[in-house]
C-alpha cells in the first residue's frame, strides 16, 4: 500500500504530532473531543519532506490524494470549490511539530474569485463582507504565496480611506472594497506579470507550496537553529473550512490563553475583535478589546468558550493558547496548543498545576524549557532609580507584553539594532509594528516598543519567546518611521536618544534607568530549583575564575567549581605585567622571580574560591594561556615590560617575535608549558596547596580536597611528567605545614588522542574533565578562533544544523567522550568524570552527559540553573540506576 500523506481531522489525534504537526494533531484531537471545529484535513510533514526530495514539487500521487480529500471535505460540509450555489472557502495554514513564527502562517478565504464572491454576497445578503473577504484573500495570497509586499496593498487601502474621508477599515463600504479588490488584482498583475489565479485548485496548490517553501526561508532557518529544531522534520499543512469573523457585528475573532502567558496568573486572558478576521488580531493592525468584554457582546458564545477552555486545559493538563471565531454568534475553535510563556509564567504555572493536582512534580519539571530560565536571571530596574523615574520621566504607557527592564538608545530598524548590538551597544527597537523580518534585530535589542498591537501581536509573542522586554501597542506615539523619529508626550525622540521600558507595567521612560540583577532563589523559582535538585542525578558545578563569580554561582546553586582557568586571573591591568614578565623571561631565574610575584596573587584567589564554595569541590586548572592572548602588542606595554625586566625594548621585541606561533591554539599551551617550564607547575601547586591548608584551618568541618587539573594532555607519559612535579611539590608543602590534606591530580580530556588512550591516561589521572571546546576544535579540525567565518556557509548548505561549539556534536565528539569514560573507568572504576567546555550549560548536551554517565557538568554561573533543570529532565527521561 502506498504511503498516506493526507488525513481528515477525524482520522488523526493529538499523539500524531510528528506526522500532522502541532496544529494538525490538536485540530484532530479537538474534533475527537466533540468541540466545534470547522472541518478539514492535514497534509503531513512527510509530504513536505517528499516535496523537497522531489525537487520542490508536489508529486502526482500527493496531488491526487489532496484532491480526494477535497472531495471528502466537500461531501462532509455540503459545499464545493468554485460552486455557484454553495461554494467552499478554506484557510491554509502551516503547522510544524513545534510552532515556528518564522514560517508562513495563514491564508484565509481561499477559493474566492469574481464569480464566487458574487455568489456569497447574494447568499449572505452581505456584499460588504463578501468583498472584504475577497480583497483580504488577494492581499494575503499575493503577500505570502507570491511574495508581493503587503505594503503595496496597505498603501492602496490608505489611499481609499483618504478618498472616502474615513479612518477605519470597517468604515469602507461594499463598493469601496470591490473597487479595492480590482485595484489589488491590477497591482498583482503589475508585479507578477500574470492575472491573479481564479481557479480554486490552482490557488490551493499555490498556497500549499508556499507553506512547504516557507520551511526553508531564512527566518525559519534562524528560528530552527535557535531552538534546536531539525530541518528534517518538515512542516504539515492544514486545510480547513472557513468560519467567518467578519460577517458583521454578530461575528468576531480572538485569541486567548487559559492563564496569563506573561505572569502565569490563573484565569482567561486574551483579546477579541468584533467583525474581523484572525490576522487583524495577530498582526496588530487594529488594537483589540480584552477578552472579558466578549461576555457583554456575545454572552452565549462566551459561556460556551469558557467551557471549552476548561475542557482543553483539563485534557492537555497545561495552559492552552487558542484561536477562535464567532460567526453569526456561533463559536468555532480554530486552534489550541500548549501556550508559549515567559519563564516567570512557566515556573508559576508548573507550581500551580502541581498544587491543583493536575500534574506530578516530574511532569512539572518536564514542562519548563530549561533554556528559558535565563530570562529569570535578567535584570530589573533598581527600586530607587525606578521610583525617581516614575515621578519624573514616564512619557507614555503601552501594553506590558513581555516582562523585564530595558534601558538603551533608540533605533528604528532591525538592521540598525543588529549593527549597534554587534558593537555591544544596548538598544531599544522602536517600530510601528514588528514582523518576522525583524527577528534578528529583536534578538539584539534590550527592549522592543511598538505603536500597534496587543498581547498577542508578533512583537509580544516573539519578545516573550526570547525573554526580551517588550511594551506594545502604545497608540499615543506619532511615528515617523522612515524619518527615524517619533513624538510622544509633546517630545521628539530620535535615533540615539535614551529610552527605558518596563515590560511588566508597560511604562515608557525618557531616560536611562539603572538596572539590577534578578534574585533567583525566592518563590516559584526557588521551588522549581529544589525540585530539580530532587530529581537530578548529575552534579552541577560552575566555571569560575574569580571569587566573585564563584559566589554568584554558589547563589545559583552550583555544587562546586569544575573549572577555574588560572590564566584568567591575570587579565587585570595590575596583574598582567607580572604575567608578561613570566612569559618573556630569558632564564629560569628571571622566570622564578616573576613567578614569585604571581604566587601570592594566585594563593589569595584560590583561598577566595575555596571560601566561596564552602567545602564543595574546587577544580583548579593549571595555566593554559594561548600565548597570543597575553604577549603585549601596544608599544607602551612593551616599554613597561622592558623597564620591569631591565631589558632593552629591542630585546623584548625579539622575545615577542620568537614567541610568534602560526597556530597558537595548537601551540605552546596547556601542559606543554609545564614540560618546558616545570617551575610554573611548582609555583601553582604551592599556591593551591597553601590556600587549601589556610582555608581548612579556618573551616575544619569543610572537606577541602583540591582537585588539580592538567590541561591539554595527550599522552600518559606527559601526564606522569607533570603529575610527578605536582606530587613532589604538594607533599613537601603539606609535610612542611605539618597538616593532613588530601588532593587529587586529574586531567582535562580535550585532545582526541587522550580520549582514545584514556585507559592509559587513567593510570595517572585521578579524574577526567572534558574540555569540549578544544575537543570539538581538535575533532573537527576547525580553529575555535576562525570557525565563525565559515560555519555560516555550512549552516546555509545544511551540512551542520547547529554550532558544534555551542551544542555538542554527539556523534563525533560525543562518541570520543563515551569511549574515554568507558576506558578511563576500566582502569579506575570510581573515577569522577565531568565536562567543563561551553556545552556544560546547553540542555541537549547536558542530557547527553547524563546518558553517558558523567558525574557532573560545569558551566558559567548564569547557566547553572539551566543545567540543574536540564539534568533533572534528563534523569526523569532516562533514570540512572
Ligand atoms: C575546553 O577546551 O573545553 C576548556 C574548557 O578549556 P578552554 O576553553 O580554556 O580551552
Ligand atoms: Mg581547553
Amino acid at each position: 500500500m502506498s504511503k498516506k500523506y493526507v488525513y481528515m481531522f477525524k482520522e488523526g489525534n493529538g499523539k500524531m504530532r510528528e506526522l500532522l504537526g502541532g496544529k494538525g494533531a490538536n485540530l484532530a484531537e479537538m474534533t475527537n473531543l466533540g468541540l466545534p471545529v470547522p472541518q478539514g484535513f492535514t497534509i503531513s510533514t512527510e509530504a513536505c519532506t517528499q516535496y523537497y526530495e522531489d525537487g520542490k514539487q508536489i508529486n502526482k500521487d500527493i496531488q491526487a490524494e489532496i484532491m480526494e480529500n477535497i472531495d471528502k471535505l466537500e461531501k462532509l460540509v455540503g459545499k464545493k470549490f468554485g460552486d455557484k450555489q454553495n461554494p467552499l472557502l478554506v484557510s491554509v495554514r502551516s503547522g510544524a511539530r513545534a510552532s515556528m513564527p518564522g514560517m508562513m502562517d495563514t491564508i484565509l478565504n481561499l477559493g474566492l474569485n469574481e464569480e464566487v464572491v458574487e455568489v456569497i454576497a447574494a447568499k449572505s445578503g452581505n456584499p460588504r463582507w463578501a468583498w472584504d473577504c475577497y480583497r483580504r484573500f488577494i492581499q494575503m495570497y499575493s503577500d505570502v504565496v507570491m511574495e508581493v509586499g503587503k505594503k503595496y496593498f496597505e498603501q492602496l487601502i490608505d489611499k481609499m480611506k483618504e478618498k472616502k474621508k474615513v479612518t477605519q477599515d470597517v468604515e469602507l463600504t461594499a463598493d469601496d472594497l470591490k473597487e479595492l479588490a480590482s485595484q489589488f488584482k491590477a497591482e498583482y498583475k503589475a508585479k507578477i506579470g500574470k492575472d491573479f489565479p481564479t481557479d480554486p485548485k490552482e490557488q490551493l496548490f499555490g498556497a500549499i507550496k508556499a507553506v512547504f517553501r516557507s520551511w526553508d526561508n531564512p527566518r525559519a532557518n534562524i528560528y530552527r537553529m535557535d531552538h534546536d529544531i531539525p530541518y528534517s522534520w518538515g512542516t504539515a499543512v492544514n486545510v480547513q473550512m472557513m468560519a467567518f469573523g467578519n460577517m458583521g457585528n454578530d461575528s468576531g475573532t480572538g485569541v486567548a490563553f487559559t492563564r496569563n502567558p506573561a505572569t502565569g496568573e490563573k484565569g482567561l486572558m486574551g483579546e477579541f475583535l468584533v467583525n474581523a478576521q484572525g490576522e487583524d488580531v495577530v498582526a496588530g493592525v487594529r488594537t483589540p478589546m480584552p477578552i472579558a468584554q466578549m461576555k457583554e457582546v456575545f454572552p452565549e458564545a462566551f459561556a460556551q468558550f469558557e467551557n471549552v477552555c476548561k475542557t482543553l486545559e483539563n485534557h492537555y493538563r497545561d495552559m492552552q493558547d487558542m484561536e477562535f471565531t464567532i460567526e453569526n454568534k456561533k463559536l468555532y475553535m480554530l486552534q489550541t496548543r500548549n501556550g508559549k510563556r515567559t519563564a516567570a509564567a512557566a515556573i508559576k504555572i508548573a507550581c500551580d498545576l502541581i498544587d491543583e493536582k493536575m500534574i506530578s512534580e516530574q511532569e512539572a519539571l518536564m514542562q519548563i524549557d530549561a533554556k528559558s530560565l535565563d530570562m529569570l536571571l535578567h535584570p530589573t530596574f533598581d527600586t530607587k532609580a525606578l521610583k525617581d523615574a516614575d515621578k519624573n520621566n514616564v512619557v507614555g504607557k503601552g501594553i506590558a507584553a513581555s516582562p523585564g527592564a530595558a534601558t538603551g538608545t533608540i533605533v528604528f530598524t532591525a538592521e540598525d539594532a543588529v549593527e549597534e548590538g554587534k558593537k555591544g551597544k544596548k538598544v531599544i527597537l522602536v517600530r510601528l509594528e514588528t514582523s518576522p523580518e525583524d527577528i534578528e534585530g529583536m534578538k539584539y535589542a534590550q527592549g522592543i516598543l511598538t505603536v500597534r498591537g496587543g498581547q498577542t501581536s508578533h512583537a509580544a509573542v516573539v519578545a516573550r519567546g526570547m525573554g526580551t522586554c517588550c511594551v506594545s501597542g502604545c497608540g499615543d506615539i506619532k511615528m515617523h518611521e522612515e524619518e527615524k523619529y517619533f513624538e510622544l508626550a509633546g517630545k521628539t525622540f530620535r535615533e540615539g536618544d535614551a529610552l527605558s521600558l518596563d515590560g511588566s507595567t508597560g511604562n515608557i521612560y525618557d531616560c536611562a534607568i539603572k538596572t539590577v540583577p534578578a534574585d533567583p532563589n525566592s518563590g516559584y523559582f526557588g521551588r522549581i530549583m529544589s525540585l530539580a535538585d530532587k530529581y537530578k542525578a548529575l552534579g552541577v558545578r560552575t566555571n569560575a575564575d574569580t571569587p566573585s563569580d564563584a559566589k554568584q554561582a554558589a547563589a545559583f546553586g552550583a555544587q562546586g567549581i569544575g573549572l577555574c582557568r588560572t590564566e584568567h586571573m591575570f587579565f587585570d591591568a595590575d596583574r598582567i605585567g607580572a604575567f608578561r614578565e613570566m612569559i618573556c623571561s630569558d632564564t629560569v631565574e628571571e622566570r622564578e622571580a616573576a613567578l614569585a610575584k604571581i604566587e601570592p596573587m594566585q594563593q589569595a584567589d584560590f583561598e577566595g574560591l575555596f571560601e566561596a564554595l564552602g567545602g564543595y569541590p574546587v577544580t583548579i586548572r593549571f595555566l593554559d594561556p594561548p600565548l597570543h592572548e597575553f604577549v603585549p602588542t601596544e608599544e607602551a606595554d612593551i616599554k613597561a615590560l622592558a623597564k620591569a625586566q631591565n631589558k632593552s625594548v629591542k630585546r623584548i621585541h625579539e622575545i615577542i617575535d620568537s614567541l610568534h606561533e602560526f597556530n597558537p591554539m595548537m601551540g605552546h599551551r596547556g601542559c606543554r608549558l609545564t614540560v618546558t617550564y616545570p617551575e610554573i607547575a611548582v609555583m601553582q601547586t604551592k599556591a593551591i596547596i597553601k590556600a587549601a591548608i589556610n582555608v581548612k584551618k579556618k573551616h575544619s568541618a569543610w572537606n577541602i580536597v583540591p582537585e588539580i587539573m592538567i590541561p591539554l594532555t595527550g599522552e600518559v607519559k606527559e601526564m606522569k611528567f607533570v603529575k610527578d612535579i605536582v606530587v613532589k611539590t604538594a607533599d613537601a608543602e603539606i609535610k612542611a605545614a605539618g597538616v593532613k590534606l588530601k588532593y587529587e591530580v586529574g586531567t582535562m580530556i580535550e585532545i582526541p588522542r587522550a580520549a582514545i588512550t584514556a585507559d592509559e591516561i587513567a593510570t595517572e589521572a585521578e579524574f577526567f574533565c572534558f574540555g569540549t571546546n578544544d575537543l570539538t576544535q581538535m575533532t573537527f579540525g576547525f580553529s575555535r578562533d576562525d570557525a565563525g567565518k565559515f560555519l555560516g556557509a555550512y549552516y546555509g548548505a545544511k551540512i551542520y544544523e547547529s554550532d558544534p561549539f555551542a551544542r555538542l556534536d554527539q556523534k563525533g565528539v560525543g562518541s570520543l567522550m563515551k569511549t574515554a569514560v568507558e576506558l578511563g573507568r576500566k582502569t579506575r572504576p570510581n573515577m569522577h568524570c565531568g565536562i567543563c567546555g561551553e556545552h556544560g550549560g546547553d540542555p541537549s548536551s547536558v542530557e547527553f552527559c547524563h546518558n553517558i554517565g558523567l558525574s557532573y557538568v560545569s558551566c558559567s554561573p548564569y547557566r547553572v540553573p539551566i543545567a540543574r533543570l536540564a539534568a533533572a529532565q534528563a534523569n526523569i527521561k532516562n533514570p540512572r540506576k
Side-chain angles (χ1 to χ4, degrees):
M1 209 180 87
S2 63
K3 199 177 210 167
K4 182 170 167 72
Y5 287 102
V6 186
Y7 294 78
M8 294 297 288
F9 290 166
K10 52 185 184 183
E11 292 178 294
N13 64 55
K15 297 203 174 70
M16 294 167 74
R17 205 182 177 83
E18 289 186 13
L19 197 61
L20 304 181
K23 201 174 286 167
N26 289 335
L27 281 165
E29 190 75 7
M30 284 201 289
T31 301
N32 297 341
L33 287 171
L35 299 180
V37 176
Q39 283 305 290
F41 56 84
T42 303
I43 305 164
S44 74
T45 53
E46 290 178 350
C48 177
T49 316
Q50 192 61 45
Y51 160 88
Y52 283 102
E53 267 171 33
D54 291 336
K56 300 193 186 173
Q57 297 296 330
I58 302 178
N59 69 37
K60 289 261 162 352
D61 292 343
I62 297 179
Q63 281 188 33
E65 203 181 330
I66 293 171
M67 288 322 297
E68 275 167 30
N69 282 273
I70 282 286
D71 262 6
K72 284 189 201 161
L73 180 61
E74 287 176 339
K75 292 206 176 85
L76 186 70
V77 300
K79 296 182 178 188
K80 252 177 133 52
F81 252 172
D83 194 64
K84 304 283 165 356
Q85 305 298 323
N86 236 345
L88 172 68
L89 301 186
V90 295
S91 67
V92 177
R93 312 179 76 185
S94 59
R97 273 192 231 181
S99 91
M100 279 185 44
M103 278 165 48
M104 186 205 108
D105 188 26
T106 302
I107 292 180
L108 301 177
N109 313 329
L110 188 142
L112 279 172
N113 56 33
E114 288 287 337
E115 287 172 358
V116 173
V117 70
E118 295 289 5
V119 175
I120 63 167
K123 258 194 95 167
S124 64
N126 188 346
R128 189 197 174 280
W129 160 73
W131 286 103
D132 187 43
C133 288
Y134 193 33
R135 69 93 194 161
R136 283 170 187 271
F137 172 53
I138 303 168
Q139 197 173 343
M140 275 193 201
Y141 192 93
S142 307
D143 176 27
V144 299
V145 177
M146 305 308 287
E147 292 166 343
V148 181
K150 296 199 263 280
K151 66 176 183 197
Y152 300 108
F153 302 96
E154 271 155 21
Q155 281 162 4
L156 290 171
I157 298 177
D158 285 344
K159 266 195 204 143
M160 180 63 82
K161 286 199 281 196
E162 227 168 81
K163 190 171 138 199
K164 296 288 167 178
K165 300 200 170 41
V166 298
T167 56
Q168 302 283 327
D169 293 5
V170 280
E171 295 171 282
L172 294 172
T173 65
D175 284 342
D176 299 337
L177 294 166
K178 186 172 182 174
E179 168 64 26
L180 267 182
S182 61
Q183 287 179 8
F184 282 8
K185 280 195 284 187
E187 186 70 31
Y188 178 96
K189 189 161 185 186
K191 291 277 177 324
I192 301 291
K194 273 200 250 165
D195 284 325
F196 188 80
T198 53
D199 175 6
K201 285 176 194 156
E202 184 187 340
Q203 295 170 353
L204 179 67
F205 281 101
I208 295 169
K209 274 193 199 161
V211 176
F212 287 161
R213 200 176 59 214
S214 73
W215 178 249
D216 195 25
N217 74 26
R219 294 191 303 275
N221 285 326
I222 290 176
Y223 188 89
R224 252 198 304 279
M225 272 195 76
D226 286 352
H227 293 82
D228 295 338
I229 298 175
Y231 181 74
S232 59
W233 279 5
T235 178
V237 186
N238 298 292
V239 177
Q240 184 176 25
M241 189 180 79
M242 282 298 305
F244 294 99
N246 60 338
M247 269 212 170
N249 289 336
D250 278 345
S251 302
T253 187
V255 291
F257 297 87
T258 53
R259 295 172 196 238
N260 186 318
T263 63
E265 214 60 52
K266 191 172 179 182
L268 203 55
M269 206 216 88
E271 285 157 339
F272 179 74
L273 269 175
V274 174
N275 196 11
Q277 282 199 320
E279 83 273 17
D280 297 340
V281 185
V282 181
V285 178
R286 278 164 59 190
T287 301
M289 58 171 97
I291 193 93
Q293 281 181 26
M294 184 180 150
K295 194 172 184 174
E296 287 144 40
V297 194
F298 301 118
E300 278 158 34
F302 185 73
Q304 189 189 358
F305 180 62
E306 279 189 310
N307 280 333
V308 169
C309 291
K310 274 195 206 118
T311 307
L312 287 174
E313 203 182 77
N314 288 335
H315 183 73
Y316 286 101
R317 301 187 302 140
D318 196 358
M319 182 263 264
Q320 294 300 294
D321 164 5
M322 300 149 301
E323 289 181 22
F324 64 94
T325 281
I326 312 279
E327 181 183 312
N328 291 328
K329 296 193 177 161
K330 188 169 165 15
L331 173 73
Y332 290 97
M333 295 303 299
L334 303 183
Q335 175 175 328
T336 193
R337 60 181 170 191
N338 293 342
K340 283 204 189 311
R341 60 203 78 178
T342 61
I347 56 172
K348 176 170 166 46
I349 291 170
C351 292
D352 286 352
L353 293 179
I354 298 173
D355 294 342
E356 291 164 31
K357 307 227 175 335
M358 227 192 290
I359 57 176
S360 65
E361 290 175 345
Q362 291 96 320
E363 284 170 320
L365 290 175
M366 293 308 289
Q367 220 178 56
I368 302 166
D369 170 15
K371 263 190 186 166
S372 77
L373 292 184
D374 184 41
M375 290 181 205
L376 297 173
L377 309 172
H378 284 312
T380 50
F381 286 129
D382 172 74
T383 323
K384 185 180 166 326
L386 184 65
K387 229 178 184 175
D388 295 343
D390 270 334
K391 265 190 238 142
N392 308 315
N393 300 93
V394 179
V395 281
K397 195 172 173 77
I399 293 166
S402 178
T407 282
T409 53
I410 297 170
V411 291
F412 287 92
T413 67
E415 293 74 33
D416 290 343
V418 174
E419 199 182 314
E420 296 298 299
K422 279 192 174 158
K423 287 187 215 151
K425 290 214 180 129
K426 297 191 157 59
V427 296
I428 305 285
L429 177 61
V430 186
R431 305 279 290 152
L432 211 47
E433 63 200 316
T434 64
S435 65
E437 292 81 36
D438 295 328
I439 286 195
E440 188 72 358
M442 292 169 79
K443 276 212 283 202
Y444 278 96
Q446 304 295 308
I448 296 152
L449 170 62
T450 69
V451 183
R452 296 180 188 152
Q455 278 286 5
T456 44
S457 62
H458 177 268
V461 173
V462 174
R464 279 202 294 274
M466 292 174 174
T468 303
C469 159
C470 174
V471 173
S472 67
C474 178
D476 292 340
I477 292 179
K478 245 179 129 182
M479 185 69 157
H480 306 269
E481 220 167 35
E482 300 266 293
E483 297 83 12
K484 297 195 173 175
Y485 74 95
F486 70 84
E487 295 162 76
L488 180 64
K491 292 188 177 179
T492 303
F493 293 82
R494 296 181 194 281
E495 201 174 42
D497 288 348
L499 201 72
S500 297
L501 305 176
D502 187 333
S504 311
T505 60
N507 280 348
I508 303 162
Y509 303 88
D510 65 350
C511 61
I513 306 174
K514 192 178 156 207
T515 56
V516 287
D519 171 13
N521 284 324
S522 55
Y524 298 110
F525 192 87
R527 183 169 168 196
I528 291 296
M529 283 295 102
S530 42
L531 280 181
D533 290 344
K534 177 172 165 188
Y535 289 101
K536 73 182 172 46
L538 263 179
V540 175
R541 298 194 189 183
T542 190
N543 294 355
D545 309 324
T546 61
S548 84
D549 279 0
K551 272 192 202 127
Q552 176 70 75
F556 286 163
Q559 301 159 306
I561 291 181
L563 171 66
C564 162
R565 291 176 165 102
T566 48
E567 64 282 4
H568 286 192
M569 296 172 148
F570 294 94
F571 283 144
D572 287 352
D574 58 342
R575 290 183 166 197
I576 187 121
F579 198 81
R580 285 175 174 158
E581 284 175 38
M582 179 193 79
I583 295 175
C584 293
S585 295
D586 278 309
T587 61
V588 173
E589 290 71 31
E590 267 181 27
R591 190 165 305 103
E592 279 176 343
L595 290 169
K597 290 188 197 171
I598 292 174
E599 190 185 313
M601 298 175 191
Q602 293 240 283
Q603 187 185 322
D605 282 344
F606 298 152
E607 284 180 24
L609 295 183
F610 288 125
E611 289 276 357
L613 266 298
Y616 276 125
V618 173
T619 309
I620 294 168
R621 180 181 76 179
F622 274 0
L623 286 174
D624 180 12
L627 288 182
H628 64 304
E629 288 178 18
F630 288 90
V631 289
T633 50
E634 301 287 324
E635 205 50 35
D637 293 338
I638 293 171
K639 279 191 183 141
L641 183 58
K643 197 165 162 223
Q645 289 200 300
N646 209 6
K647 288 183 183 151
S648 68
V649 169
K650 184 167 163 274
R651 177 67 199 133
I652 297 289
H653 272 291
E654 280 167 9
I655 294 175
I656 292 173
D657 288 346
S658 74
L659 287 172
H660 170 79
E661 291 180 320
F662 288 103
N663 196 342
M665 269 300 178
M666 298 174 88
H668 192 191
R669 50 178 287 229
C671 60
R672 296 159 203 168
L673 220 55
T674 311
V675 174
T676 37
Y677 307 127
E679 54 277 17
I680 297 179
V682 171
M683 178 280 286
Q684 290 208 286
T685 307
K686 281 187 190 166
I688 295 169
I689 296 296
K690 282 183 190 166
I693 291 173
N694 281 351
V695 176
K696 202 174 151 75
K697 272 187 198 150
K698 271 204 258 171
H699 305 280
S700 53
W702 291 1
N703 181 28
I704 306 267
V705 182
E707 294 174 6
I708 297 175
M709 183 153 76
I710 315 299
L712 233 61
T713 307
E715 152 64 45
V716 65
K717 286 188 207 135
E718 190 182 33
M719 176 71 207
K720 180 169 173 7
F721 181 92
V722 184
K723 188 182 171 188
D724 286 348
I725 297 170
V726 174
V727 170
K728 191 170 157 209
T729 313
D731 289 351
E733 215 47 64
I734 294 167
K735 196 169 169 204
V739 292
K740 280 201 170 130
L741 181 78
K742 273 203 223 149
Y743 62 92
E744 290 182 359
V745 187
T747 184
M748 298 195 65
I749 301 287
E750 46 188 350
I751 292 199
R753 193 179 188 285
I756 46 189
T757 60
D759 46 350
E760 286 185 13
I761 304 256
T763 58
E764 295 294 333
E766 291 164 291
F767 64 86
F768 285 168
C769 187
F770 290 97
T772 45
N773 303 333
D774 275 312
L775 192 59
T776 301
Q777 164 172 266
M778 312 273 183
T779 303
F780 280 86
F782 336 122
S783 147
R784 287 159 69 170
D785 293 340
D786 301 314
K789 291 185 199 144
F790 53 78
L791 277 178
Y794 277 74
Y795 307 142
K798 312 255 166 20
I799 297 171
Y800 299 128
E801 289 194 41
S802 59
D803 177 355
F805 288 103
R807 190 168 189 234
L808 191 73
D809 158 47
Q810 299 183 6
K811 206 173 195 175
V813 178
S815 104
L816 281 172
M817 290 170 69
K818 197 163 174 281
T819 305
V821 174
E822 283 164 10
L823 290 179
R825 286 190 179 146
K826 252 191 205 160
T827 305
R828 201 181 278 270
N830 294 322
M831 80 188 303
H832 59 92
C833 299
I835 177 176
C836 62
E838 277 311 298
H839 308 91
D842 167 64
S844 70
S845 312
V846 171
E847 183 179 349
F848 178 80
C849 292
H850 168 88
N851 290 340
I852 63 166
L854 291 198
S855 324
Y856 64 86
V857 296
S858 185
C859 56
S860 59
Y862 277 83
R863 292 168 89 190
V864 165
I866 298 175
R868 285 162 75 193
L869 179 55
Q873 291 173 337
N875 198 36
I876 292 168
K877 267 200 212 167
N878 180 16
R880 212 174 249 188
K881 288 172 197 91

